[in-house]
Amino acid sequence: MSDFIRLLPDAVANQIAAGEVVQRPASAVKELLENAVDAESTEIQLIVKDAGKTLIQVIDNGKGMSETDARLCFERHATSKIRDAQDLFAIRTMGFRGEALASIASVAQVELKTCQADEELGTEIRIEGSEIKSQKPCQSEKGTSIAVKNLFFNVPARRQFLKSDTIELKHISEEFYRVALIHPHIKFSFYHNDKCVYNLESCAFKQRIISLFGDTYKNRLVPIEQAITHVKISGFIGKPEYAMKTKGEQYFFVNNRFIRHPYLHHAVSQAFEELIAEKSFPSYFIKFDIDPKNIDVNIHPTKTEVKFLDEKLIYGVLFAAVKKSIGAYNLSPSLDFSINPDYQPQILPSDYVPKAPRIQVNPGYNPFEKTSFSEHRKNHLNQQAYLDSFDLMQRPVESGVQKIIEHTIDDDNVYFDSFQFLKKYIVADTRSGLLLVDQQRAHERVLFEHYQKQMANKQIVSQQKLFPQSFDFTASNAEILNEILSDLKELGWDMESLGHHSFVVNAAPNEVKESELKDVLETILENYKSGVMLNRNDKHTNLAVSMACGMAVKSGVSLDKAEQKHLLQQLFLCQVPQLSPKGKPVFSLLSEDEIHTRIN
Ligand code: ADP
Ligand code: MG
């Protein structure tokens, strides 16, 4: 057999990596500006031609590179910023992956000139599509100049996908703002097609915002400041009356790095709620200083996502800080400055045991009062045509079972004792024999009928207000979630989309443990999806099945005697206790006779 696996040549590997790092001219602008900042420059020039399609050049007065480093910097994973994995949790620089220059040089013609402070001569390198064309000593100012020409010259498909100059320039400006805003002490200038777009002097943060976004911002900004042991929050928020109809200037920076954070954005929006018109957006420029060990920046190559170790805490602090600023600056005299008690994170004791789900049923309801059980079953079948597909429904109901049902409902003492077997089954000693009940399916049945009633009667659902929590879903689950968001609300879930497949949960049904929100939601969505595939066309029925399966107590969970009894009683108050909502048998009866024959 011959071998097929081959290592890719560096140039190809770099081009593949470039697909992630360099999507458009603006990505190269971001990387070059960040490198200039990391090199401790005090002055940075950005020169762009044809929206970056022809030229992107960044000139800095930073520490420069040695002759060897100048060559090495184009190698993949070549970086001076980290040395080992531990350093990932102590990052203070903008870059650290050592991928940017290698990626850029694989898809463009790059000219680098660099000179260190203590050197007389600098180094000049030309590299095209990862291939070094020349390297020679040169006269150069202290610092580094990198010119990226004809981006994607060797990847025509990528070049074709570039948008109009206006759009590409907008992206470039956005990257420029993000870097320039958070480094106000650095002088920046930005030229496009030989015209000076910005010339920013070294100044304070507020002045930098004003220089970038215009003098009108002078009266719009209110400072925000809050420090706790973990994190220091500072910056400015825009006054509510200047909130914009379009998503305007909304900037979060963590340790001087611009980030996107829909969950924290939600905290700011919540603090502004009721002060600004619906569908308008507050401006903010908010910095977080946090020990790098409490964040993980290593999520995405373009690094606009950061994960905080304690997001809930930061949410709470941010929310309070914004409210405090709004209040302190008298932007809303009638405002309550304290944190909403609902937003206090709940700390559960480690030995916390969830309560058995509270299920509301009509205790006076007796299914045998007016109609026979089989009639009930027939009615139910009519309502639930979807269950026809399960042949289990066609099974005759055993007479012993009918007796149990009657007894269990009629008389509190019909079964003498019960215990759990394998933490999966409840075994009950009844007058008719040994009753074996699958606890999960039983609970699914109970909840299913409960949710159906709830939706039919539009009952108000009791729900727990949560400290808002955000979750990411897969694209397909997010799509479904959007579709059923309002129905879920009727069932106690108060959720909002944050875009990008993320959702924030503000409230959930009482029965759901906070730590299991995501799991429960995912199970609901998975069940809903399979329901759609099984042609469970009726949306409400599908939702009731999905909710029941998501929220039911699972196999493996210990139930004490009181919980076992409660569940059995609820089960036998159901219209179709013998089947789970997905049509699986819920219980079986081992009669006295059967037991006798077995041990005879
Ligand atoms: P990273 O920034 O993740 O380390 P890059 O590919 O962007 O990776 O850069 C590789 C290395 O080249 C950097 O670690 C740095 O040592 C050096 N470098 C890049 N740009 C500059 C610059 N403008 N001034 C000085 N050194 C630079
Ligand atoms: Mg870099």
Side-chain angles (χ1 to χ4, degrees), residues 31-32 34-35 38 81 94-101 303:
E31 296 297 339
L32 298 184
E34 289 188 349
N35 280 347
D38 284 344
K81 300 170 193 174
M94 312 280 278
F96 60 86
R97 288 169 180 267
E99 279 181 327
L101 290 184
K303 301 182 290 280

Side-chain angles (χ1 to χ4, degrees), residues 380-584:
H380 203 77
L381 266 180
N382 294 341
Q383 292 160 16
Q384 311 248 332
Y386 83 93
L387 275 176
D388 279 347
S389 52
F390 302 107
D391 60 13
L392 274 159
M393 279 306 282
Q394 318 307 333
R395 282 195 197 167
V397 177
E398 305 152 58
S399 61
V401 170
Q402 276 216 39
K403 256 199 229 135
I404 297 173
I405 294 168
E406 286 165 39
H407 289 157
T408 319
I409 293 163
D410 286 351
D411 178 352
D412 233 16
N413 298 317
V414 273
Y415 73 81
F416 307 112
D417 200 1
S418 71
F419 63 91
Q420 231 184 339
F421 180 59
L422 302 174
K423 288 196 189 161
K424 182 172 173 15
Y425 302 103
I426 299 170
V427 183
D429 166 10
T430 75
R431 276 187 211 157
S432 325
L434 265 192
L435 177 68
L436 311 173
V437 181
D438 181 310
Q439 65 186 47
Q440 180 171 344
R441 291 179 190 171
H443 199 205
E444 283 173 5
R445 163 53 61 185
V446 170
L447 290 177
F448 169 67
E449 295 198 8
H450 167 67
Y451 292 130
Q452 275 208 316
K453 257 185 245 158
Q454 210 166 54
M455 282 190 281
N457 304 339
K458 298 224 173 290
Q459 281 169 3
I460 307 240
V461 187
S462 54
Q463 49 171 217
Q464 47 176 336
K465 282 256 176 227
L466 298 173
F467 184 92
Q469 294 198 43
S470 75
F471 301 110
D472 291 332
F473 292 89
T474 59
S476 71
N477 278 356
E479 198 180 313
I480 290 180
L481 203 45
N482 270 321
E483 201 181 291
I484 60 176
L485 220 49
S486 61
D487 303 278
L488 280 175
K489 200 159 187 170
E490 286 184 20
L491 293 167
W493 292 95
D494 179 5
M495 298 175 61
E496 286 165 62
S497 164
L498 298 173
H500 292 292
H501 314 155
S502 322
F503 290 80
V504 63
V505 183
N506 298 314
N510 268 335
E511 301 87 7
V512 186
K513 256 208 296 183
E514 235 188 293
S515 58
E516 290 174 354
L517 287 173
K518 172 102 194 277
D519 287 347
V520 170
L521 279 168
E522 300 241 310
T523 321
I524 293 175
L525 293 172
E526 290 309 320
N527 276 291
Y528 191 86
K529 266 198 285 198
S530 53
V532 172
M533 291 203 290
L534 282 171
N535 286 330
R536 214 181 279 147
N537 285 329
D538 173 31
K539 193 174 171 189
H540 276 176
T541 306
N542 192 9
L543 203 59
V545 177
S546 309
M547 276 281 286
C549 295
M551 312 246 307
V553 58
K554 302 288 178 291
S555 296
V557 174
S558 300
L559 300 176
D560 64 24
K561 292 224 190 274
E563 289 166 333
Q564 295 170 21
K565 182 166 186 176
H566 185 71
L567 180 56
L568 291 189
Q569 283 176 336
Q570 302 303 318
L571 175 67
F572 291 110
L573 283 171
C574 287
Q575 298 196 354
V576 189
Q578 75 275 27
L579 287 176
S580 81
K582 286 183 173 173
K584 296 268 172 45

Side-chain angles (χ1 to χ4, degrees), residues 13-43:
N14 287 342
Q15 256 192 38
I16 293 171
E20 284 250 53
V21 184
V22 194
Q23 280 133 10
R24 52 180 5 134
S27 336
V29 168
K30 169 185 190 285
E31 296 297 339
L32 298 184
L33 288 177
E34 289 188 349
N35 280 347
V37 170
D38 284 344
E40 294 163 14
S41 315
T42 55
E43 196 170 342

Side-chain angles (χ1 to χ4, degrees), residues 83-141:
R83 291 191 180 270
D84 55 37
Q86 272 310 308
D87 291 349
L88 278 176
F89 300 95
I91 288 171
R92 290 270 175 200
T93 50
M94 312 280 278
F96 60 86
R97 288 169 180 267
E99 279 181 327
L101 290 184
S103 301
I104 293 171
S106 73
V107 291
Q109 297 156 337
V110 178
E111 279 172 31
L112 165 77
K113 267 189 182 180
T114 185
C115 182
Q116 291 180 311
D118 47 5
E119 296 292 327
E120 265 180 29
L121 279 183
T123 305
E124 185 183 319
I125 291 188
R126 281 200 312 113
I127 176 166
E128 264 185 45
S130 295
E131 201 180 310
I132 296 200
K133 296 283 178 188
S134 69
Q135 174 165 12
K136 55 181 192 238
C138 70
Q139 288 289 340
S140 161
E141 302 267 309

